[in-house]
Structure formats: C-alpha cells, structure tokens
Amino acid sequence: WSEPYKGKQQPSQGILAILEMVEADIRDDIKKAVKSEAKAQKKYDELKKESEKTIKDLEEAVDKLEENKATKEGDVTDTKSARVTKKGGVKTLLKKISDAEPGCDFFAVNFETRSKDRTLEID
C-alpha cells in the first residue's frame, strides 16, 4: 500500500461482456417466443377449425331433430283428430246399441220360453 490507488489500467471488458451476454439472451428469448407463438397459433387454428366443424355438425343435427320433432307433432295431431273422429263413431254405435237394447232384452229374457214353445209346436 505504499503507492496511491490508480484504478484498473487495462481496458475493461467486463461490463461490455455482460451486456453482450444479456443481449444474446434476449435475442434467444425472442426467437423462442416467436417459435412458441407460432406453435400456439397453429394449435389455436386447428382447434378453431375443429370447433367450427363440430358446431356445424351439431347445428345440422339440431335442424334434423327439429324437423323430426315437427313431423312427430304433426303425427300426434293427426292421431288425436282420428281418435276424436273414431270416438264419435263409437258413441254413435253405442247409442244405437242402447236404443236397441230394450228389444234385445225381450228376446234374451223370453228366448228359452219361446224356444220350448216352438219345440212343442213342431211336435
């Protein structure tokens, strides 16, 4: 320590080397980020394409199901109106039967007696 401090006498490469190393790291990071972004964009585009296809397929399926539903609802309406028509016919038939019932009861009640009498007449 006999001489006064004069600092470093040779040119300093330390700070420049560190800055160059930082610059190289940043450039590498940028390259990695660009590759990663391109890869992510490609995956996104594929997913978007698949999703749009799936949406289109599902919309077509919904349209077919709605068409099928409309057909079935029409069939139900037709069946109900046919049933109402048949019910009216059945009511008419039952009314005829109930109107004719008193005469039928006469034959049902008196059949055996009349059958015996008829047998006696034949003999």
Side-chain angles (χ1 to χ4, degrees):
W1 309 67
S2 59
E3 295 180 32
Y5 178 73
K6 295 183 181 178
K8 190 172 182 182
Q9 298 297 318
Q10 56 186 338
S12 174
Q13 293 293 326
I15 191 73
L16 289 178
I18 291 173
L19 290 174
E20 287 175 355
M21 197 166 42
V22 168
E23 180 186 17
D25 285 345
I26 290 173
R27 290 187 191 275
D28 288 342
D29 286 345
I30 290 173
K31 286 179 185 178
K32 288 178 185 177
V34 168
K35 284 183 183 179
S36 177
E37 181 65 26
K39 191 175 184 180
Q41 184 66 41
K42 183 179 176 184
K43 284 184 180 181
Y44 168 77
D45 290 340
E46 289 173 1
L47 178 65
K48 183 178 177 185
K49 184 177 178 181
E50 289 174 11
S51 297
E52 287 174 349
K53 184 182 181 304
T54 302
I55 289 170
K56 181 181 175 188
D57 292 344
L58 290 173
E59 286 174 346
E60 289 174 1
V62 166
D63 290 341
K64 286 180 183 177
L65 289 173
E66 286 177 349
E67 181 179 316
N68 191 12
K69 179 183 172 189
T71 302
K72 298 290 183 183
E73 287 175 347
D75 292 347
V76 167
T77 303
D78 293 343
T79 302
K80 283 183 179 180
S81 64
R83 190 170 55 186
V84 167
T85 303
K86 287 180 182 179
K87 186 176 181 182
V90 168
K91 281 185 178 181
T92 304
L93 181 62
L94 288 175
K95 181 156 176 33
K96 278 184 178 180
I97 290 172
S98 67
D99 289 345
E101 188 176 3
C104 290
D105 285 344
F106 173 78
F107 288 111
V109 170
N110 296 317
F111 179 75
E112 287 185 35
T113 308
R114 291 184 60 133
S115 179
K116 287 179 188 175
D117 289 345
R118 179 73 178 157
T119 306
L120 288 174
E121 285 179 9
I122 292 176
D123 290 337

